[in-house]
Amino acid sequence: MKYLIIGNSAAAAGAVEAIRRNDKRNSITIISDEPHHVYSRPLISYLLAGHTKEDKMYYRDENFYKENNVETVFNKRVTAVDTKKKQVILNNKGQGTRGKGQVIDYDKLLIATGGIPFIPPIKGKDRKNVYTFTKWSDAAEILQVSKNVKKAVVIGAGMIGLKAIEGLTAIGIDVTVVELAPEVLSRALDRDASRIVQRKMEEAGVEVITNNEVVEITGKGNVANGVVLRDKKKIKCDLVIVAIGVIPNTVFIKNSGIKINRGVVVDERMETSVKGVYAAGDVAEALNMLTNEKMPIPIWPLAYRQGGIAGDNMSGGSFVYKGGFPMNSIEFPGVPTISIGIIDPRGEGYESIVKNDAANGNYKRIIIKNERLVGAILVGADVDRAGILTGLIKEQTPVTAFKDKLLDRNFGFVSMPKDLRKERLGRAI
Amino acid sequence: MKIVYPKEEVCMACRLCEVACITEHSKSKDTLKAYKKENPAPLSRTLVEEIFPGLSVSVMCRHCSDAPCIEACFTSAMHRLALSEVEGKPDGRVIVNEPKCVGCWMCIMACPFGVIKRNQYIGEGQGDNPLNPPLLRGKGKGQEIKVKLSSKCDLCPDRSIPACVEACPNKALVHEERN
Ligand SMILES: Cc1cc2nc3c(=O)[nH]c(=O)nc-3n(C[C@H](O)[C@H](O)[C@H](O)COP(=O)(O)OP(=O)(O)OC[C@H]3O[C@@H](n4cnc5c(N)ncnc54)[C@H](O)[C@@H]3O)c2cc1C
Ligand code: SF4
Ligand code: SF4
């Protein structure tokens, strides 16, 4: 029996740990097109900012592969999967799909290849000093050129765009961000919450341009020296970061017979349409338990969890994925911001309760459907107990009895009915 | 495993558990100094929730067997202690490895008990250990930086009975194993 994992990040780590709980003996191989020991992707903005150091980038300690008896194949890219012969085909990074690749056999395969940044066909996107921001090497390269950079344009004011901005401003680079949507963080927040975050960004010296897009990256020689916006406005800069979003990284399995929709479609055991082949993490399209649809939800905790479920089932276990939902935490200086679940309710039956104290930078909103909490946005001072709301969403606890207290500053277990409180606090979890 | 369970029936909101927790997690182990002098000021890792009049309960980490905070933490600062550091015996408590924490608050978003606190203070750079200083610039010794760390119950590794349990005059906190 041979376990093969393509990818070396959150989902892969979850899978290795789960496999080794069930099976200490059979071989596990991890393939990655990056050179690094398993590291934390979300830390690249901290690395850029100088808020963490290289030796703290790692998600597991240096003995991780050895202790778990994992063989690693780094700096190699999988270019195809042959599900009939149960083989994956590798090429050296940068070699494209031509040439005779190395072949590795498997009995159980996990696809944990995450997401790749989406880059729209902007004129000039291939110039030098144009980067995406999802990998350690992105942060490292940006750091390297940063000495000669005074001004950067970030395309996209989503989660990753904001992280890039945080890193850039921390090392003294001026930033203008250009966002197509009318608001920053438009996928994680509603308009009122976005406005608070935008104001804080502006107070921190970031120029925010919304309702607009970059149509061209201009250059001197081949090096980016500015951008042109849809409305013809020109902005000079020495660096461009494209942070529009990530899409599931599925190109290499296009012709493998594995069913792909937006991501790799998986069942509740994380198995794909091909038996013995599993997928987990940003690449997978698994259940959103709040909307009851399958969709990629690209966040770290779900990647780790899905990896664990996949690994368990690959090695004879029977863990079932109950579904997840989007959530994220981001703090632009002074505004901790947490977004959980459904934040843009469309359709019937949703009730929304809001506490807007925009003047002081505080905002809270909860969204309820069928007596259950399905979403929450928290900006500012009261994020501390956000997790209780996450728990209520996950457990689908009826909240009608205490819904008017959910937005109180002091909301807690004492706000809940006695039975519920005692049940939660009185037993081992 | 043995954790701390509250008994709301006999809790009178005196908050001595919070005082004991702060003292236990201070550098000086002296209550007055912990409250008035120390930077960072230690935070209480238990929270007495209260509705006036008559209802209060002290809430702290449940050391969940399948802990959402660990799953959420991308730095692996939040982790489960496999073996006790003191006695080398199997342990299982969920604790923060502070030098790795970057104060992203993913764990706060994930913990269904709301028992992780944001510990934020202006301090000196801890040598070559820059924590997460987004507000003030500067690294290394002597520079002032803003530190962000998560802070939660560690079941008092230096004690056999957690400080809060010992401090409660009404036995409204018990240290025991339940199913
Ligand atoms: C800047 C940034 C900040 C983020 N911040 C947060 C945050 O605060 N909270 C949060 O929850 N999430 C955050 N995320 C998202 C989080 O990083 C992802 O959800 C998580 O990394 C997904 O893990 P994964 O295992 O699915 O895949 P990935 O982390 O994407 O890893 C994919 C792996 O596959 C390998 N690979 C890909 N293709 C091939 C191939 N063809 N051949 C061989 N190897 C291949 C790669 O080398 C890599 O090892 C952030 C992401 C970024 C980029
Ligand atoms: S901090 Fe919260 S989620 Fe983590 S173990 Fe404690 S109670 Fe569970
Ligand atoms: S705040 Fe610290 S412990 Fe919590 S998730 Fe972030 S890095 Fe981990």
Side-chain angles (χ1 to χ4, degrees):
Chain A
M1 171 72 110
K2 284 182 180 161
Y3 301 104
L4 183 60
I5 301 173
I6 317 175
N8 182 28
S9 184
V16 165
E17 286 163 5
I19 293 172
R20 284 294 174 241
R21 274 193 288 271
N22 298 335
D23 179 349
K24 299 261 185 299
R25 201 167 48 91
N26 288 299
S27 81
I28 304 179
T29 303
I30 281 184
I31 308 172
S32 167
D33 60 4
E34 292 183 72
H36 307 288
H37 183 91
V38 57
Y39 73 94
S40 174
R41 208 160 290 281
L43 280 177
I44 64 171
S45 61
Y46 296 82
L47 186 69
L48 178 59
H51 297 164
T52 196
K53 304 214 310 177
E54 297 209 337
D55 62 348
K56 294 204 189 125
M57 290 291 285
Y58 300 106
Y59 184 54
R60 290 291 181 259
D61 69 26
E62 55 194 0
N63 297 323
F64 179 68
Y65 303 121
K66 201 163 157 231
E67 274 168 10
N68 287 295
N69 191 11
V70 174
E71 235 177 276
T72 56
V73 181
F74 289 164
N75 268 324
K76 297 273 167 115
R77 174 168 289 157
V78 175
T79 51
V81 175
D82 186 332
T83 52
K84 297 242 161 59
K85 289 197 198 146
K86 296 199 159 188
Q87 287 178 335
V88 304
I89 293 102
L90 308 184
N91 265 344
N92 286 325
K93 212 180 151 186
Q95 234 175 298
T97 50
R98 262 167 301 160
K100 235 174 142 196
Q102 182 188 344
V103 164
I104 300 185
D105 297 324
Y106 67 80
D107 294 299
K108 303 269 178 178
L109 176 68
L110 176 63
I111 298 167
T113 47
I116 41 168
F118 172 65
I119 307 174
I122 300 171
K123 205 172 150 198
K125 68 179 169 52
D126 297 321
R127 290 187 193 282
K128 269 206 170 132
N129 283 10
V130 179
Y131 293 96
T132 50
F133 196 64
T134 59
K135 298 202 295 278
W136 188 330
S137 59
D138 296 330
E141 283 169 36
I142 293 167
L143 260 176
Q144 219 160 41
V145 299
S146 66
K147 289 161 213 88
N148 303 316
V149 172
K150 289 209 174 63
K151 165 89 192 195
V153 168
V154 174
I155 306 178
M159 168 85 187
I160 294 179
L162 258 65
K163 291 271 183 177
I165 295 169
E166 214 184 322
L168 292 169
T169 46
I171 55 171
I173 295 175
D174 248 1
V175 182
T176 295
V177 58
V178 183
E179 167 62 48
L180 186 62
E183 277 95 31
V184 303
L185 286 176
S186 61
R187 263 169 294 179
L189 301 180
D190 62 15
R191 185 184 304 165
D192 290 329
S194 295
R195 285 203 175 138
I196 295 175
V197 175
Q198 178 167 342
R199 197 178 73 214
K200 290 283 180 180
M201 290 170 71
E202 286 165 349
E203 281 169 15
V206 178
E207 183 188 15
V208 183
I209 300 176
T210 54
N211 277 319
N212 211 330
E213 65 189 308
V214 170
V215 293
E216 185 184 347
I217 298 168
T218 56
K220 188 175 175 218
N222 197 28
V223 184
N225 72 351
V227 300
V228 183
L229 306 187
R230 189 172 57 199
D231 62 4
K232 305 279 191 305
K233 185 179 156 136
K234 290 187 179 139
I235 304 168
K236 282 198 180 142
C237 66
D238 325 293
L239 181 87
V240 177
I241 294 184
V242 184
I244 293 187
V246 291
I247 46 176
N249 184 0
T250 57
V251 261
F252 65 102
I253 44 167
K254 277 267 153 61
N255 303 313
S256 63
I258 299 166
K259 190 175 168 205
I260 305 167
N261 190 17
R262 274 178 291 175
V264 180
V265 182
V266 292
D267 64 12
E268 57 182 16
R269 299 162 155 253
M270 295 290 139
E271 196 163 16
T272 68
S273 62
V274 174
K275 220 171 165 299
V277 179
Y278 296 74
D282 287 10
V283 74
E285 185 174 302
L287 183 70
N288 178 332
M289 59 171 278
L290 299 178
T291 60
N292 231 351
E293 289 168 314
K294 286 189 180 175
M295 60 174 70
I297 305 175
I299 59 172
W300 187 274
L302 292 184
Y304 181 75
R305 162 145 302 220
Q306 291 174 5
I309 306 265
D312 180 68
N313 283 284
M314 288 163 79
S315 54
S318 55
F319 282 173
V320 163
Y321 186 63
K322 299 195 187 95
F325 46 86
M327 54 176 181
N328 236 313
S329 160
I330 184 163
E331 178 163 9
F332 213 79
V335 259
T337 300
I338 287 178
S339 148
I340 313 162
I342 298 175
I343 49 93
D344 58 341
R346 298 201 186 115
E348 306 259 296
Y350 291 98
E351 180 191 358
S352 170
I353 310 176
V354 177
K355 245 189 195 170
N356 191 352
D357 173 23
N360 293 309
N362 298 323
Y363 180 81
K364 289 197 278 189
R365 174 175 179 190
I366 50 168
I367 291 138
I368 295 171
K369 189 178 187 184
N370 295 333
E371 306 201 18
R372 268 86 175 160
L373 200 59
V374 293
I377 297 173
L378 300 161
V379 181
D382 290 354
V383 296
D384 297 83
R385 307 203 81 196
I388 302 182
L389 303 181
T390 307
L392 293 170
I393 295 175
K394 201 162 164 187
E395 302 280 328
Q396 291 290 290
T397 312
V399 297
T400 310
F402 54 99
K403 74 173 183 192
D404 53 329
K405 303 194 184 105
L406 283 166
L407 290 186
D408 285 357
R409 270 223 93 148
N410 298 325
F411 171 72
F413 289 89
V414 288
S415 322
M416 297 179 191
K418 186 170 183 179
D419 295 351
L420 180 59
R421 176 172 64 250
K422 298 217 82 167
E423 197 266 333
R424 290 282 149 101
L425 297 180
R427 66 182 161 94
I429 298 291
Chain B
M1 67 182 291
K2 266 185 163 179
I3 64 166
V4 179
Y5 291 98
K7 279 189 185 162
E8 62 181 64
E9 290 77 9
V10 286
C11 175
M12 56 183 191
C14 66
R15 295 182 182 259
L16 284 173
C17 50
E18 293 186 356
V19 176
C21 184
I22 287 174
T23 309
E24 177 67 18
H25 293 95
S26 67
K27 283 196 201 90
S28 60
K29 311 267 170 185
D30 178 291
T31 305
L32 199 61
K33 282 189 189 138
Y35 270 78
K36 295 283 192 192
K37 291 244 158 66
E38 288 187 19
N39 180 40
L43 299 178
S44 171
R45 291 131 193 248
T46 187
L47 172 72
V48 178
E49 291 186 10
E50 189 177 359
I51 284 187
F52 191 77
L55 174 59
S56 62
V57 60
S58 186
V59 184
M60 77 295 287
C61 173
R62 311 284 82 206
H63 299 272
C64 308
S65 55
D66 184 7
C69 59
I70 296 181
E71 186 176 278
C73 177
F74 53 68
T75 66
S76 73
M78 192 67 81
H79 68 289
R80 191 178 305 281
L81 191 64
L83 293 174
S84 148
E85 282 155 354
V86 188
E87 300 151 54
K89 285 193 293 202
D91 199 295
R93 69 189 76 191
V94 176
I95 53 172
V96 188
N97 177 7
E98 291 193 352
K100 276 207 125 183
C101 175
V102 294
C104 67
W105 317 139
M106 287 287 293
C107 53
I108 286 188
M109 171 176 70
C111 168
F113 294 93
V115 291
I116 304 171
K117 285 194 183 167
R118 288 182 290 158
N119 186 9
Q120 312 189 78
Y121 57 93
I122 307 290
E124 254 186 28
Q126 307 183 345
D128 66 343
N129 175 25
L131 292 159
N132 183 27
L135 286 185
L136 301 170
R137 201 78 53 67
K139 292 164 213 155
K141 260 196 120 40
Q143 295 267 24
E144 286 207 325
I145 59 168
K146 176 163 178 184
V147 178
K148 300 200 293 175
L149 290 175
S150 68
S151 173
K152 69 177 281 300
C153 164
D154 57 5
L155 286 170
C156 299
D158 303 336
R159 296 168 150 267
S160 54
I161 298 171
C164 54
V165 175
E166 210 171 84
C168 180
N170 279 0
K171 295 196 167 55
L173 292 172
V174 292
H175 185 222
E176 63 186 31
E177 184 156 354
R178 292 184 186 169
N179 298 315

Coordinates of all heavy atoms in Angstrom, one line a residue, chain B residues 12-46:
Chain B
M12 N -20.6 33.4 43.5 CA -21.2 34.7 44.0 C -20.5 35.9 43.3 O -20.5 37.0 43.8 CB -21.1 34.8 45.5 CG -19.7 34.6 46.0 SD -19.7 34.6 47.8 CE -18.0 34.7 48.1
A13 N -19.8 35.6 42.2 CA -19.2 36.7 41.4 C -18.2 37.5 42.2 O -18.0 38.7 42.0 CB -20.3 37.6 40.9
C14 N -17.5 36.8 43.1 CA -16.4 37.6 43.9 C -15.2 37.8 43.0 O -14.4 38.6 43.3 CB -16.1 36.8 45.1 SG -15.3 35.2 44.8
R15 N -15.1 37.0 41.9 CA -14.0 37.1 41.0 C -12.6 36.8 41.6 O -11.6 37.2 41.1 CB -13.9 38.5 40.4 CG -15.2 38.8 39.5 CD -15.1 40.1 38.8 NE -16.4 40.3 38.1 CZ -16.5 40.1 36.8 NH1 -15.4 39.8 36.0 NH2 -17.6 40.3 36.2
L16 N -12.6 36.1 42.7 CA -11.3 35.7 43.3 C -10.5 34.8 42.4 O -9.3 34.7 42.4 CB -11.4 35.1 44.7 CG -11.7 36.2 45.8 CD1 -12.1 35.5 47.1 CD2 -10.5 37.1 45.9
C17 N -11.3 34.0 41.5 CA -10.6 33.1 40.6 C -9.8 34.0 39.6 O -8.7 33.6 39.2 CB -11.6 32.3 39.8 SG -13.0 33.1 39.1
E18 N -10.4 35.1 39.2 CA -9.7 36.0 38.2 C -8.4 36.5 38.9 O -7.3 36.6 38.3 CB -10.6 37.1 37.7 CG -11.7 36.6 36.9 CD -12.5 37.8 36.3 OE1 -12.2 38.9 36.6 OE2 -13.5 37.5 35.5
V19 N -8.5 36.9 40.1 CA -7.4 37.5 40.8 C -6.3 36.4 40.9 O -5.1 36.7 40.7 CB -7.8 38.0 42.2 CG1 -6.5 38.4 43.0 CG2 -8.8 39.1 42.2
A20 N -6.7 35.2 41.3 CA -5.7 34.1 41.5 C -5.0 33.8 40.2 O -3.8 33.5 40.1 CB -6.4 32.9 42.1
C21 N -5.8 33.8 39.1 CA -5.3 33.5 37.8 C -4.3 34.5 37.3 O -3.2 34.2 36.9 CB -6.4 33.4 36.7 SG -5.8 32.9 35.1
I22 N -4.6 35.8 37.6 CA -3.7 36.9 37.2 C -2.4 36.7 38.0 O -1.3 36.8 37.5 CB -4.3 38.3 37.4 CG1 -5.4 38.5 36.3 CG2 -3.3 39.4 37.5 CD1 -6.2 39.7 36.5
T23 N -2.5 36.5 39.3 CA -1.3 36.4 40.1 C -0.5 35.2 39.7 O 0.7 35.3 39.5 CB -1.7 36.2 41.6 OG1 -2.7 37.2 41.9 CG2 -0.5 36.2 42.5
E24 N -1.1 34.1 39.5 CA -0.4 32.8 39.0 C 0.4 33.1 37.8 O 1.5 32.6 37.6 CB -1.4 31.7 38.9 CG -0.7 30.4 38.4 CD 0.2 29.7 39.4 OE1 0.1 30.1 40.6 OE2 1.0 28.9 39.0
H25 N -0.2 33.8 36.8 CA 0.4 34.1 35.5 C 1.3 35.3 35.5 O 1.6 35.8 34.4 CB -0.6 34.0 34.4 CG -1.2 32.6 34.3 ND1 -2.4 32.3 34.9 CD2 -0.7 31.5 33.6 CE1 -2.6 31.0 34.6 NE2 -1.6 30.5 33.9
S26 N 1.6 35.9 36.6 CA 2.4 37.1 36.6 C 3.9 36.6 36.8 O 4.1 35.5 37.1 CB 2.0 38.0 37.8 OG 2.3 37.3 39.1
K27 N 4.8 37.6 36.6 CA 6.2 37.3 36.8 C 6.5 37.2 38.3 O 7.2 36.3 38.7 CB 7.0 38.3 36.1 CG 7.1 38.2 34.6 CD 8.3 39.0 34.0 CE 8.1 39.2 32.6 NZ 7.3 40.5 32.3
S28 N 5.9 38.2 39.0 CA 6.3 38.3 40.4 C 5.5 37.3 41.3 O 5.9 37.1 42.5 CB 6.0 39.7 40.9 OG 4.6 40.0 40.7
K29 N 4.4 36.8 40.9 CA 3.5 36.0 41.7 C 3.0 36.8 42.9 O 2.6 36.3 43.9 CB 4.1 34.7 42.2 CG 4.8 33.9 41.1 CD 3.9 32.9 40.5 CE 4.6 32.3 39.3 NZ 3.9 31.3 38.5
D30 N 3.0 38.1 42.7 CA 2.5 39.0 43.8 C 1.3 39.8 43.2 O 1.4 40.4 42.2 CB 3.7 40.0 44.1 CG 3.2 41.0 45.2 OD1 2.4 41.9 44.9 OD2 3.7 40.8 46.3
T31 N 0.2 39.7 43.9 CA -1.0 40.2 43.3 C -1.0 41.7 43.0 O -1.3 42.1 41.9 CB -2.2 39.9 44.3 OG1 -2.3 38.5 44.5 CG2 -3.5 40.4 43.7
L32 N -0.5 42.4 44.0 CA -0.4 43.9 43.8 C 0.5 44.3 42.7 O 0.2 45.1 41.8 CB 0.0 44.5 45.1 CG -0.4 46.0 45.2 CD1 -1.9 46.2 45.1 CD2 0.2 46.6 46.5
K33 N 1.7 43.7 42.6 CA 2.6 44.0 41.6 C 2.0 43.5 40.2 O 2.2 44.2 39.2 CB 3.9 43.2 41.8 CG 4.8 43.9 42.8 CD 6.2 43.2 42.8 CE 7.0 43.8 44.0 NZ 7.7 42.7 44.7
A34 N 1.4 42.4 40.2 CA 0.8 41.9 39.0 C -0.2 42.9 38.4 O -0.3 43.1 37.2 CB 0.2 40.5 39.2
Y35 N -1.0 43.5 39.3 CA -2.0 44.4 38.9 C -1.5 45.8 38.5 O -2.0 46.4 37.6 CB -3.1 44.5 40.0 CG -4.2 43.5 39.8 CD1 -4.1 42.2 40.3 CD2 -5.5 43.9 39.3 CE1 -5.1 41.3 40.1 CE2 -6.5 43.0 39.2 CZ -6.3 41.7 39.6 OH -7.3 40.8 39.5
K36 N -0.5 46.2 39.3 CA -0.1 47.6 39.2 C 1.2 47.9 38.5 O 1.4 48.9 38.0 CB 0.0 48.2 40.6 CG -1.3 48.2 41.4 CD -2.1 49.4 40.9 CE -3.3 49.6 41.8 NZ -4.3 50.5 41.2
K37 N 2.1 46.9 38.4 CA 3.4 47.2 38.0 C 3.9 46.5 36.7 O 4.6 47.0 35.9 CB 4.4 46.8 39.1 CG 4.4 47.7 40.3 CD 5.7 48.5 40.5 CE 5.5 49.8 41.3 NZ 5.1 49.5 42.7
E38 N 3.4 45.3 36.5 CA 4.0 44.5 35.5 C 3.6 44.9 34.1 O 2.4 45.2 33.8 CB 3.7 43.0 35.7 CG 4.5 42.4 36.9 CD 4.3 40.9 37.0 OE1 4.0 40.2 36.0 OE2 4.6 40.4 38.1
N39 N 4.5 44.9 33.2 CA 4.2 45.1 31.7 C 4.9 43.9 31.0 O 6.1 43.8 31.1 CB 4.7 46.4 31.2 CG 4.3 46.5 29.7 OD1 3.2 46.1 29.3 ND2 5.2 47.1 28.9
P40 N 4.2 43.1 30.4 CA 2.8 43.0 30.2 C 2.0 42.7 31.4 O 2.5 41.8 32.2 CB 2.6 41.9 29.1 CG 3.8 41.0 29.3 CD 4.9 41.9 29.7
A41 N 0.9 43.4 31.6 CA 0.0 43.0 32.7 C -0.6 41.7 32.4 O -1.2 41.5 31.4 CB -1.1 44.1 32.9
P42 N -0.5 40.7 33.3 CA -1.1 39.4 33.0 C -2.6 39.5 33.0 O -3.2 40.3 33.7 CB -0.6 38.5 34.2 CG -0.2 39.4 35.3 CD 0.3 40.7 34.6
L43 N -3.2 38.8 32.1 CA -4.6 38.8 31.9 C -5.2 37.5 32.7 O -4.5 36.5 32.7 CB -5.1 38.6 30.5 CG -4.6 39.7 29.5 CD1 -5.1 39.4 28.1 CD2 -5.1 41.1 30.0
S44 N -6.4 37.7 33.2 CA -7.0 36.5 33.7 C -7.5 35.6 32.6 O -8.0 36.1 31.6 CB -8.3 36.9 34.5 OG -9.0 35.7 34.9
R45 N -7.2 34.3 32.7 CA -7.6 33.4 31.7 C -9.0 32.7 32.0 O -9.4 31.8 31.3 CB -6.5 32.3 31.5 CG -5.3 33.0 30.9 CD -4.0 32.6 31.7 NE -2.9 33.4 31.3 CZ -1.8 33.0 30.7 NH1 -1.7 31.7 30.4 NH2 -0.9 33.8 30.4
T46 N -9.6 33.2 33.0 CA -11.0 32.8 33.2 C -11.8 34.1 33.3 O -11.3 35.1 33.6 CB -11.2 31.9 34.5 OG1 -12.5 31.5 34.5 CG2 -10.9 32.7 35.8

